Amino acid sequence: MLVMNHPVFRRFWYPVIPIEHLKAGPQRFELLGQALALFLDEQGAPAALEDRCCHRSARLSLGKIGAGYVACPYHGWQYRRDGQCVLMPQFPERVPGPSIRVKAFDCQERYGYAWVALDEPLYEIPRIPEAESGAFAIVHEFYETWNVAGLRVMENELDMAHPGFVHLGTFGTPDHLLARDTVVQEFDGGMTYTSRIGVSVAHHAQETANERVLDCTWYAPFMVRIRINYTDGGPPHLIVNCQVPIANDRTQFVQFCLIEQNRGIDADKVVAFDRAVTLEDKGVLETTDPDVPLDPRAERHMTSDEPGIVMRRVLKRIIEREERATAAE
């Protein structure tokens, strides 16, 4: 499966850029090959337009913001969040007609990011209860490009057979090569996953913590919430990982964690630990084939691969459903 071959991937929400980045002015991002100009409108809400002025095709992302409108750097034409041109400085008395516009995309703020859907979304932006409870602080960890398919990263996040090989420098241990008490349950557009696995160290470095208890939710296509509790009763560690597809073999790796407040946890140490873990994964994942087969017969599997197999099955079902709907139109 190559994401650029399936239009259905345009119908999901993706966290394309941190809101903080937009405070400096318009920014460019390529989502599934679509160049976007992102900016903050007059209300301070994120907006997304195609990054191409309808006059002479200059990049709007190189322009400036005035009164919540983005101005083209070439001739100064100004556009509002719905793509309509509102001012041509050379003819200030004229009201630009409805044809003088650029394409606009759905854009919302959630959890400190601007989320974009290129076409009508199939599902709402996933809700993360802990991020909205007030009991946890959101700590933004990583925003960077990886040369890997998003689905490979999602499978890796719930693959409990690899830590004893890939993560020996952080939490993995050869004494625990498989999780136990694993339960996987599908729902429309995702799945839940729970399990237990022995580890060598906890995120908060409590010496008595030697087993992770995992409570995870995967949301199609490329977002996962991972809640890690420890058997010593210490504070939980929550990670939200999103893979934003740039192209078939490139994804924007977006990750933030949720740290329970009033527990005296050193956020810098948590981020440093997660940084070490992600770099261990990166070294392996960037060697994998971006064309992830949805046919289960195309790759060999073991029982611990069940979460990844479910992901592939859910995505295959969504792709086929949308292809049938398109053919019937």
Side-chain angles (χ1 to χ4, degrees), residues 5 11 40 61 68 71 76 103-105 110 115 136-137 141 146 176-177 195 234 237 268 270 301-302 305 309-310:
N5 292 352
R11 300 190 63 186
L40 298 178
S61 60
K103 189 172 183 180
F105 302 93
R110 183 76 59 82
W115 295 66
F136 291 80
E141 293 192 307
W146 283 24
H176 299 280
L177 298 181
S195 71
H237 181 62
D268 290 340
V270 172
H301 307 286
M302 52 186 176
D305 293 325
I309 293 171
V310 171

Side-chain angles (χ1 to χ4, degrees), residues 107-127:
C107 186
Q108 295 183 22
E109 180 177 359
R110 183 76 59 82
Y111 310 131
Y113 292 86
W115 295 66
V116 173
L118 296 178
D119 291 329
E120 183 179 0
L122 294 173
Y123 305 97
E124 296 296 322
I125 299 173
R127 310 298 300 217

Side-chain angles (χ1 to χ4, degrees), residues 263-278:
R263 296 292 291 264
I265 301 171
D266 188 331
D268 290 340
K269 288 185 177 180
V270 172
V271 174
F273 187 90
D274 288 347
R275 173 79 286 178
V277 172
T278 56

Side-chain angles (χ1 to χ4, degrees), residues 19-279:
I19 295 296
E20 283 295 318
H21 289 201
L22 300 182
K23 293 180 180 179
Q27 303 292 325
R28 179 180 172 90
F29 189 88
E30 291 193 18
L31 175 60
L32 289 164
Q34 172 66 60
L36 302 173
L38 296 124
F39 63 99
L40 298 178
D41 68 10
E42 66 274 17
Q43 304 299 322
L49 305 179
E50 62 176 318
D51 197 13
R52 178 185 174 92
C53 180
C54 69
H55 176 221
R56 289 294 182 269
S57 77
R59 290 186 179 183
L60 297 178
S61 60
L62 296 177
K64 297 180 179 180
I65 301 297
Y69 305 135
V70 61
C72 176
Y74 196 2
H75 296 91
W77 288 22
Q78 295 182 18
Y79 298 89
R80 66 190 183 207
R81 68 171 297 122
D82 66 355
Q84 176 63 47
C85 180
V86 296
L87 176 67
M88 295 182 290
Q90 296 79 9
F91 306 98
E93 73 285 355
R94 296 185 185 178
V95 177
S99 66
I100 304 178
R101 63 185 306 115
V102 298
K103 189 172 183 180
F105 302 93
D106 288 335
C107 186
Q108 295 183 22
E109 180 177 359
R110 183 76 59 82
Y111 310 131
Y113 292 86
W115 295 66
V116 173
L118 296 178
D119 291 329
E120 183 179 0
L122 294 173
Y123 305 97
E124 296 296 322
I125 299 173
R127 310 298 300 217
I128 307 300
E130 294 88 352
E132 302 176 14
S133 70
F136 291 80
I138 296 177
V139 177
H140 299 286
E141 293 192 307
F142 316 121
Y143 179 77
E144 60 200 25
T145 302
W146 283 24
N147 297 317
V148 65
L151 183 53
R152 293 290 189 190
V153 181
M154 290 293 99
E155 291 183 330
N156 173 77
E157 292 293 314
L158 301 185
D159 175 358
M160 296 303 121
H162 82 281
F165 296 92
V166 176
H167 297 301
L168 292 178
T170 51
F171 68 92
T173 168
D175 296 329
H176 299 280
L177 298 181
L178 288 173
R180 59 189 181 90
D181 300 335
T182 297
V183 178
V184 177
Q185 294 185 318
E186 290 185 43
F187 59 84
D188 182 27
M191 73 174 182
T192 60
Y193 168 88
T194 59
S195 71
R196 310 166 73 91
I197 187 168
V199 295
S200 61
V201 66
H203 283 84
H204 45 84
Q206 293 192 3
E207 294 181 0
T208 57
N210 59 11
E211 186 179 48
R212 284 184 170 191
V213 181
L214 294 149
D215 172 12
C216 312
T217 309
W218 168 71
Y219 304 93
F222 311 125
M223 175 176 170
V224 64
R225 163 199 163 275
I226 301 174
R227 179 170 179 140
I228 303 169
N229 289 288
Y230 293 95
T231 50
D232 69 346
H237 181 62
L238 284 99
I239 297 169
V240 177
N241 182 284
C242 306
Q243 299 301 307
V244 182
I246 299 170
N248 289 327
D249 59 352
R250 282 184 297 130
T251 184
Q252 194 72 5
F253 188 101
V254 177
Q255 181 168 302
F256 59 92
C257 67
L258 295 145
I259 296 179
E260 195 172 20
Q261 303 196 75
N262 304 318
R263 296 292 291 264
I265 301 171
D266 188 331
D268 290 340
K269 288 185 177 180
V270 172
V271 174
F273 187 90
D274 288 347
R275 173 79 286 178
V277 172
T278 56
L279 291 180

